[in-house]
């Protein structure tokens, strides 16, 4: 019978100066991104309050553009699937014609 052993504890992670500096830089970048996002949201809210009809028109246009792109992609995908499905049938029909013509040629 073997005795179950537990894996050794991993060594504690030590922060090297490079890791510490990288962590600090990542924190600064995250804070900067958060501030910029807040500024963009505030500007968007102000613009919508100032001109709500224009904002609604822009949103509608953007939604129509996305819907059109999705619809077009769906149609292209279906067309590609149909041609892919038809290809084996065409090959099978062509090979059966070739086989039939070779039998009649003999």
């Amino acid at each position: 019978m073997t005795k179950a052993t537990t894996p050794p504890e991993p060594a504690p992670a030590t922060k090297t100066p490079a890791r510490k500096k990288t962590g600090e830089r990542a924190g600064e970048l995250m804070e900067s991104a958060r501030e910029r996002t807040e500024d963009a949201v505030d500007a968007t809210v102000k613009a919508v309050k100032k001109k709500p009809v224009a904002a609604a028109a822009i949103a509608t246009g953007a939604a129509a553009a996305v819907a059109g792109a999705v619809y077009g992609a769906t149609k292209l995908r279906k067309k590609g699937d149909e041609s892919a499905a038809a290809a084996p049938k065409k090959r099978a029909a062509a090979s059966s014609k070739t086989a039939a013509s070779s039998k009649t040629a003999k």
Side-chain angles (χ1 to χ4, degrees):
M1 187 188 302
T2 60
K3 191 176 190 181
T5 60
T6 58
E9 291 291 321
T14 57
K15 286 205 170 193
T16 62
R19 276 190 179 179
K20 188 174 181 180
K21 189 174 183 179
T22 302
E24 289 171 1
R25 180 71 179 136
E28 291 170 3
L29 290 173
M30 288 293 292
E31 181 64 24
S32 174
R34 187 188 60 77
E35 288 173 2
R36 288 183 180 195
T37 302
E38 285 178 356
D39 291 343
V41 168
D42 290 341
T44 303
V45 169
K46 285 179 185 177
V48 168
K49 286 181 179 180
K50 193 173 185 179
K51 298 188 178 185
V53 175
I58 291 169
T60 302
V66 170
V70 169
Y71 178 76
T74 303
K75 286 294 186 180
L76 286 174
R77 190 170 182 189
K78 284 183 181 177
K79 186 177 181 182
D81 290 346
E82 288 171 2
S83 63
K89 292 177 185 175
K90 288 180 182 176
R91 281 192 291 254
S95 64
S96 64
K97 286 180 184 177
T98 306
S101 64
S102 65
K103 288 180 182 177
T104 58
K106 290 181 181 179

